[in-house]
Amino acid sequence: PNMLDESPAELVAHLEHPNGWWRDTAQKLLILKGYSSITPALVEMVDSSEHYLAKMHALWTLEGLGAATPEIIQAAAKDSHPQVRRAAIRVSETLLKAGDESLAPMVRFLAGDADADVAVQAMMTAKLLKWKDHKELIQSTMASNQTLGVQAFGKQMLTGGQAMPKKLTNEQITQYNKGKATYR
């Protein structure tokens, strides 16, 4: 593709492409070129695309353009796909950091989401933003959601425990060394 010569509308259409490179590159160009004129098309994509990845790219593009509003984020937080709801929490962090507290109830509500990834993201956002009651939110999320991920992340956020076990088994050491060699 020759995306550098494409119109903003053509780039927006690529956010629904099945290839991740096309989506990522289109998103990057839309943001770098500051195409704020495509905001309505992005909002429409967040609201009605059949592809959850396109919704996420549109949402992050809006955030990158400084056009993500509380209304758009709250709508995305009600999406049927958990990854879109999780992205809505992450995108809300920009506005929350800027002092827009209107999104805090949404994040608190999503801490009770049935999907563990969404619940964990809500806990991490509360901790990241240093909410006064983030520990209570984490504890209540852990009490209502017994999935292993919520329990492990919650415990780590509350205690500051290590992500890795202190003592690795021989099998884990072998696996680690293989991964290290592959990475290098």
Side-chain angles (χ1 to χ4, degrees):
N2 189 7
M3 290 188 196
L4 291 174
D5 296 328
E6 291 186 341
S7 71
E10 290 171 316
L11 291 172
V12 169
H14 292 321
L15 297 179
E16 292 189 311
H17 197 280
N19 184 302
W21 182 90
W22 285 61
R23 292 189 308 272
D24 290 344
T25 303
Q27 177 180 336
K28 176 174 64 174
L29 290 172
L30 288 165
I31 294 169
L32 288 175
K33 292 185 177 193
Y35 288 139
S36 59
S37 63
I38 48 93
T39 297
L42 293 170
V43 172
E44 177 67 26
M45 188 173 283
V46 171
D47 287 340
S48 62
S49 177
E50 294 179 12
H51 310 287
Y52 81 94
L53 290 170
K55 290 180 177 193
M56 290 172 56
H57 278 280
L59 190 59
W60 280 110
T61 304
L62 287 164
E63 193 272 343
L65 292 170
T69 65
E71 295 78 22
I72 295 166
I73 296 168
Q74 288 171 344
K78 296 174 185 169
D79 195 85
S80 63
H81 200 284
Q83 296 304 333
V84 177
R85 296 193 302 275
R86 192 175 105 193
I89 297 170
R90 298 265 330 273
V91 170
S92 76
E93 291 173 1
T94 301
L95 295 177
L96 287 162
K97 285 177 186 176
D100 186 340
E101 291 297 318
S102 68
L103 293 167
M106 175 204 76
V107 174
R108 292 177 195 288
F109 177 78
L110 289 174
D113 198 279
D115 185 88
D117 289 337
V118 176
V120 167
Q121 184 59 59
M123 292 188 305
M124 290 192 302
T125 294
K127 182 171 172 128
L128 171 77
L129 298 175
K130 298 180 173 107
W131 288 352
K132 291 178 184 175
D133 66 340
H134 76 272
K135 288 183 180 180
E136 290 82 7
L137 178 71
I138 293 167
Q139 289 168 338
S140 67
T141 302
M142 290 173 68
S144 66
N145 188 329
Q146 296 300 310
T147 59
L148 184 59
V150 169
Q151 296 301 310
F153 278 102
K155 180 180 176 187
Q156 190 173 15
M157 283 185 263
L158 290 172
T159 65
Q162 293 187 11
M164 293 286 293
K166 292 180 182 179
K167 215 170 195 181
L168 298 175
T169 65
N170 288 337
E171 183 181 329
Q172 290 170 322
I173 292 169
T174 301
Q175 185 178 4
Y176 170 78
N177 289 330
K178 282 182 182 179
K180 183 176 169 183
T182 301
Y183 180 76
R184 285 190 177 152

